[in-house]
Amino acid sequence: MTESIRLSKRMTELGMCSRREADEFIEQGWVKVDGVVVNTLGSRVVPEQKITLERQATLFQAERATILMHKPVGYVSGPAEPGDRPAWTLIKAETRFIADKSGIVFLKKHMHNLAPAGRLDVDSSGLLVLTQDGRIAKKLMSDADVEREYVVQVEGFLSDEGMKQLNNGLSLDEERLKPTKVSWQSEDALRFVLRENRPRQIRRMCELVGLKVIGIRRLRIGRVSLSDLPVGQWRYLRMEERF
């Protein structure tokens, strides 16, 4: 017999929304299971059942903002400690990219429950995603198929064997890393494409092959790139853009 699971958990597994959103949609009566409205928290389903969202839930999700920022060095992407400078403080009308083509009007409500979808170290710069959309947060924080591309300024000598290890042969914390795409970008810069995002992964990988990292800049997450977004500025994710 197929084991049942909580409806909210199944909705999250299917990428329909975050767990918090699922509970909210269920309470609002915006969720149907096999065509029947389910509005009781804790309800359970089996994987074979069809789950759909009412139009109200879809409209609610469409209003959730996702912001792309070119985070400077010195700003923290996640929870801030005393003395830290949180990246979200850079989001204001005067720092919005003048070439933002989203057509979205900047509203104060877009700052509510805005959370980083993944980390970017305080001493790294580049593309940072902050979102109110639980679907995007889940995808970027748990989907191994989402690539992240970086340009990494380094010092030191990298042998052919070291390059081979960077691409497919290193372990961190006694756990094997997934294959990585690493190549020379210039005489003193490497291009990294990762499918996982462990704490300080690139810096630790470089240390293992004798390289010192001078700087890291994230250029791309999935199919969304930093492009010409200036340092310290931000724009909205456009409707047609997908990670």
Side-chain angles (χ1 to χ4, degrees):
M1 188 171 103
T2 305
E3 185 177 351
S4 66
I5 60 174
R6 288 176 64 97
L7 173 58
S8 57
K9 181 179 181 181
R10 180 59 176 160
M11 291 169 65
T12 303
E13 288 178 349
L14 293 172
M16 301 175 73
C17 55
S18 68
R19 184 71 71 89
R20 184 179 61 188
E21 288 173 336
D23 287 339
E24 187 173 351
F25 294 167
I26 291 168
E27 286 187 309
Q28 292 289 339
W30 295 345
V31 180
K32 286 185 177 180
V33 178
D34 292 337
V36 178
V37 172
V38 175
N39 57 11
T40 303
L41 291 179
S43 297
R44 303 182 73 84
V45 296
V46 295
E48 293 77 18
Q49 291 183 283
K50 182 179 180 181
I51 303 170
T52 56
L53 295 178
E54 294 283 66
R55 184 169 179 270
Q56 297 97 313
T58 304
L59 292 173
F60 180 84
Q61 289 178 322
E63 293 178 354
R64 298 248 159 150
T66 296
I67 285 172
L68 310 177
M69 174 188 292
H70 190 157
K71 187 188 86 66
V73 170
Y75 285 80
V76 296
S77 57
E81 300 291 337
D84 287 342
R85 292 184 291 177
W88 65 262
T89 60
L90 293 171
I91 303 173
K92 41 195 170 186
E94 55 266 35
T95 56
R96 183 177 182 180
F97 186 29
I98 193 171
D100 186 338
K101 299 177 181 178
S102 65
I104 300 173
V105 177
F106 179 46
L107 302 173
K108 287 185 177 179
K109 70 176 184 178
H110 293 160
M111 299 295 293
H112 299 160
N113 299 317
L114 191 66
R119 65 174 66 89
L120 187 60
D121 293 339
V122 63
D123 44 6
S124 299
S125 65
L127 182 60
L128 177 66
V129 179
L130 301 106
T131 186
Q132 296 175 324
D133 192 328
R135 297 167 300 174
I136 290 177
K138 179 180 183 297
K139 180 178 181 65
L140 297 190
M141 296 177 73
S142 64
D143 192 340
D145 290 330
V146 179
E147 290 186 341
R148 291 166 175 80
E149 181 179 351
Y150 303 81
V151 59
V152 183
Q153 300 292 136
V154 295
E155 285 183 351
F157 172 74
L158 179 64
S159 65
D160 291 342
E161 179 60 26
M163 178 64 84
K164 182 179 178 181
Q165 289 179 327
L166 284 176
N167 276 276
N168 192 25
L170 292 176
S171 297
L172 294 179
D173 303 321
E174 300 182 353
E175 186 176 346
R176 193 79 166 182
L177 293 172
K178 295 179 181 178
T180 305
K181 298 176 185 176
V182 184
S183 59
W184 284 107
Q185 180 90 354
S186 65
E187 289 186 359
D188 61 353
L190 290 166
R191 172 182 172 270
F192 276 72
V193 179
L194 307 180
R195 287 185 177 272
E196 56 189 328
N197 193 23
R198 299 197 200 178
R200 303 184 73 80
Q201 178 176 342
I202 291 175
R203 295 177 190 277
R204 296 171 69 192
M205 289 174 67
C206 287
E207 287 174 3
L208 290 174
V209 295
L211 292 175
K212 180 181 179 181
V213 172
I214 305 302
I216 298 176
R217 183 159 55 102
R218 184 156 63 197
L219 303 178
R220 176 175 62 87
I221 300 177
R223 290 169 287 181
V224 176
S225 65
L226 186 65
S227 190
D228 56 352
L229 185 61
V231 177
Q233 295 189 25
W234 63 275
R235 69 172 179 87
Y236 286 104
L237 182 74
R238 298 190 298 273
M239 289 292 292
E240 71 274 12
E241 290 182 300
R242 296 289 184 273
F243 289 100

